[in-house]
Each structure stands twice: as structure tokens, then as C-alpha cells.
Amino acid sequence: MHSSSRILSGYALTGEDLAFLPVDIVIEHGTITAIEDNSRAPHVWICPALFNAHTHLGDTIAMDCGATGDLAALVTPPDGLKHRLLREASSSDLVAGMRGSIRTMIASGCAGCADFREGGTGGVAALNEANDGLPFRTLIFGREGGELVADGYGISSARDVPDLERTVAAARRAGKMIGFHAGERDSDDVDAALSFDPDFIVHATHATKKQLRSCADREIPVVVCPRSNWILGVTSSARHPPLKMMGECGCTMYLGTDNVMFVPPDLFSEMAFVSTVYKSDSASILRSAIGGSALSGTPYYIRAGARANLFVIDPEKNSLNFSRDPVTSIVKRISSHVISNKVFNS
């Protein structure tokens, strides 16, 4: 076989239904060209790479800073604590912090993220520098003019941004995606966000059933960040964010980790938290941790014709070889130390 080709054998979670099958995965020039049955495949697990659908990587420089306060005092622009700390940070520290967080995600099976990047065009350039040379896809949602040189426009809330109609229209004319924080502290900014027909909304922690039905009907994905919601005090029960209602309404859900200053960018921990607190079914949780890759235009599900973005788990590294349900075990028990191989081609 050509040097740019390889065969990866094992028990793979294939397709969007995550069917667990013994296969040979043929990869040529970074693309899966065939998936062939192999009854003698080694007992390793092959999982689609994860995609962190909402991050603020710049916050790495404020990690665990001991801050207290409400959502507005901590993260709301322009003068929330994180924005003050970002303004004070050196460029070199900002880049080094973001690069460290990207490496953390890579180590835990994540091949890409959608990041809301503050700091205008300079902020976008800093994240591109941080990601340079790494096998990782950063979808950058800029603001303050940065949206015009990024992949999209990341809006804090419809209530926070003056002249929003003009800036969204300019971003649309430039062919950029639009993402809104909405419904994080209440439902009051959700309808305004949806009026712009965004590519996705983030949080929907307090979205109403009517608003969620609108998201489902209009095929607007919802990115949820439950650990962040709990840490920032905008929820204290499994009713918010309303994951069960989102599922009942038919929403497309993606999983994110939000601000690195409060929450490690580790989707394994996020999945385990969702499983424990919200009692969601494991396959749905895992799909939400993979599915955000659709925002990049190259979904990470393992199927012929897709780019190869996957990782290999060695169940022999701990007691996973006794698992009766690999999907549930991945959601509830996996950490980076059991990953034996990664193939990322975002």
C-alpha cells in the first residue's frame, strides 16, 4: 500500500448511529476510502474524534483566578473580569495559554473546536498563531471587527452589542457564520438571536419550549455547556439547560466547555457530567460531543468518504475490557491516558 495510505483495525463506532463493528478502516491521503468487515479485528476501540463546539480559549490566562461574582461581573463585555484580564495579558502569554489548551484538547481525543475570540483582528491572529502546526481545526468566531477575518461572528448576546443589525449584515455579506450566546441567564435574548437566523446558538439554558421548537423547526443547532452553567450560577438543577426538552423538541445539540478560566476544555469530563446530572442516554451524549464538527463542514463520524478524524482506545490499559456497553463507558469513564493513537485530518 502507498506510503500515504494505512489500515486501522479494531472495533469501531461507525456512522452516525455509532454501530460498534469489527472492521478494517482504509485511510488514503487522510480520507476514509473503505470500511471492511474483519471478524479477527484486534480488541481496541476506534471512536470518532470529538469536537468542542464552544470555547473561549483566551481565558486560559485567567485559569482558576479565584474570582467570584455573577455572570455580568465575570464575563460580560466590555468590562467583565475576563475582559479586563485579557486586556492586561501580554501577547506571548495569550498565545502560549491558548496553545496549551489546544494541546489539552488534542490529548483528550478532540480534533477541533469553535472558539469565540475576543480582541478584534489581533485576537483572531493570536489564535491562528497558537494553533500553528498542530493537528487541530479551530473555527474562529471573532468580534469587534475580527469576524471579518475569521470563520464567523461570535456574539456575546443580542442585548450586549450595539448596531447589531449592521454588523451581522456585514458578516453575512462576507460569507461568515453567525453564532449567538442566548438564553444563558434568562430567555429574554433568545428571540432576538433567532431573528438573525444564526448558524447556531450557545447555552439556551433558560430557553422556552416555544423557542426550542423554533430552533428545531429551523434547524438551528443548540450548543450546551452544562458545567459552565453550574459554575457561573445560572442553573442549579437538571431542568436547565433543558436537555430533555431539547431532545423532545427535536433540537440538534452540540456539546461545548465554554470559558477555560472556569472549566477545563475536556469533553470527556463534560460528557460524564451530563450523564450523571441530566441522565441523558449515552449515545446522544457522545453524538453531541462529535456532532459539532459539522460546523467545520467535515463531520467526524467514521464512514467512507469522510476525512479520518478518530482516536483509538486500548481497553487493556484499565478495566474497560470488561465493559458491556462501550458507548456508555466512553461517555462515563474515559480519560486521555487510555488513548493509544490519534488520527486527525481536519
Side-chain angles (χ1 to χ4, degrees):
M1 183 168 281
H2 192 274
S3 61
S4 61
S5 303
R6 65 187 299 185
I7 295 177
L8 200 60
S9 300
Y11 283 71
L13 295 169
T14 59
E16 196 165 345
D17 61 351
L18 303 175
F20 191 60
L21 302 172
V23 296
D24 292 329
I25 300 172
V26 182
I27 302 169
E28 300 183 59
H29 305 287
T31 296
I32 299 172
T33 56
I35 300 174
E36 302 169 349
D37 294 338
N38 178 0
S39 61
R40 297 184 178 181
H43 196 71
V44 295
W45 302 352
I46 305 173
C47 182
L50 309 182
F51 186 94
N52 194 332
H54 186 61
T55 59
H56 290 272
L57 297 179
D59 293 3
T60 306
I61 54 94
M63 185 189 300
D64 300 330
C65 60
T68 59
D70 62 13
L71 185 69
L74 292 172
V75 299
T76 299
D79 294 316
L81 174 64
K82 86 161 203 174
H83 296 278
R84 300 198 304 274
L85 294 174
L86 285 171
R87 286 194 292 269
E88 294 169 3
S90 70
S91 175
S92 59
D93 282 351
L94 183 66
V95 170
M98 292 190 293
R99 190 171 181 85
S101 285
I102 292 170
R103 284 175 166 159
T104 295
M105 288 189 280
I106 292 170
S108 55
C110 186
C113 73
D115 189 77
F116 276 29
R117 184 77 274 273
E118 302 82 5
T121 58
V124 174
L127 181 48
N128 280 324
E129 181 181 350
N131 192 54
D132 185 48
L134 296 178
F136 192 84
R137 174 74 161 98
T138 50
L139 274 181
I140 305 176
F141 289 80
R143 56 179 66 162
E144 303 153 20
E147 65 274 12
L148 298 179
V149 296
D151 299 288
Y153 188 6
I155 299 159
S156 60
S157 167
R159 58 163 65 97
D160 295 338
V161 183
D163 203 14
L164 192 55
E165 291 81 2
R166 181 188 63 81
T167 56
V168 170
R172 286 293 193 201
R173 285 195 300 272
K176 307 301 182 180
M177 291 185 285
I178 305 295
F180 274 86
H181 289 108
E184 187 172 10
R185 69 184 190 213
D186 55 47
S187 63
D188 294 350
D189 60 350
V190 178
D191 289 335
L194 295 180
S195 73
F196 289 95
D197 196 27
D199 293 278
F200 60 93
I201 63 170
V202 180
H203 293 304
T205 315
H206 298 281
T208 66
K209 190 170 187 177
K210 180 179 179 182
Q211 290 165 339
L212 294 175
R213 281 177 172 163
S214 181
C215 289
D217 292 345
R218 296 161 61 185
E219 299 184 339
I220 297 172
V222 179
V223 182
V224 295
C225 309
R227 284 188 300 165
S228 172
N229 290 168
W230 280 76
I231 289 169
L232 289 171
V234 295
T235 186
S236 58
S237 83
R239 293 191 297 275
H240 302 287
L243 302 189
K244 182 178 179 182
M245 187 186 298
M246 290 177 189
E248 291 170 348
C249 290
C251 293
T252 297
M253 285 183 286
Y254 302 148
L255 202 58
T257 57
D258 205 13
N259 300 82
V260 180
M261 67 186 293
F262 306 116
V263 183
D266 176 6
L267 283 173
F268 289 142
S269 297
E270 197 75 32
M271 288 193 291
F273 183 86
V274 172
S275 177
T276 299
V277 175
Y278 294 88
K279 313 299 182 187
S280 303
D281 77 271
S282 296
S284 294
I285 296 172
L286 183 53
R287 276 192 287 267
S288 71
I290 299 166
S293 56
L295 297 172
S296 72
T298 56
Y300 293 166
Y301 292 108
I302 297 172
R303 52 193 172 199
R307 296 292 287 170
N309 288 288
L310 48 86
F311 60 90
V312 179
I313 296 166
D314 183 357
E316 298 294 334
K317 286 193 173 182
N318 59 18
S319 57
L320 289 172
N321 53 313
F322 292 98
S323 174
R324 304 294 182 90
D325 184 344
V327 169
T328 294
S329 296
I330 289 169
V331 166
K332 297 174 69 172
R333 299 176 183 271
I334 294 296
S335 59
S336 59
H337 81 279
V338 299
I339 296 177
S340 61
N341 188 18
K342 293 181 287 287
V343 179
F344 291 170
N345 291 282
S346 294

